[in-house]
Amino acid sequence: MEKEHFDGEFTAPGLLIGICIGLIKDNLVFGFVIGIVIGIALDWLGNLFILWRNQK
């Protein structure tokens, strides 16, 4: 049975994006923090899309 929600699947890509941003800004701690925030936001948007798709 397929899962109906995202629960942390986008944390790694978000962290990778955040590390790249941190390397550009020369602040790796900022990169980790922004990466976690981006990962959480991607999970949230994915879950919102699933809810929207299931309302049809």
Side-chain angles (χ1 to χ4, degrees):
M1 188 168 185
E2 188 178 332
K3 233 170 43 167
E4 283 294 321
H5 67 282
F6 292 110
D7 193 22
E9 281 87 359
F10 291 114
T11 304
L15 200 54
L16 202 61
I17 293 168
I19 289 172
C20 292
I21 292 171
L23 289 174
I24 291 171
K25 292 216 168 254
D26 291 330
N27 190 348
L28 204 53
V29 175
F30 173 75
F32 279 117
V33 171
I34 201 74
I36 291 170
V37 170
I38 289 171
I40 291 170
L42 287 173
D43 279 338
W44 184 79
L45 284 173
N47 288 331
L48 196 64
F49 178 71
I50 289 172
L51 286 174
W52 174 74
R53 187 179 60 195
N54 288 337
Q55 284 184 352
K56 292 182 178 179

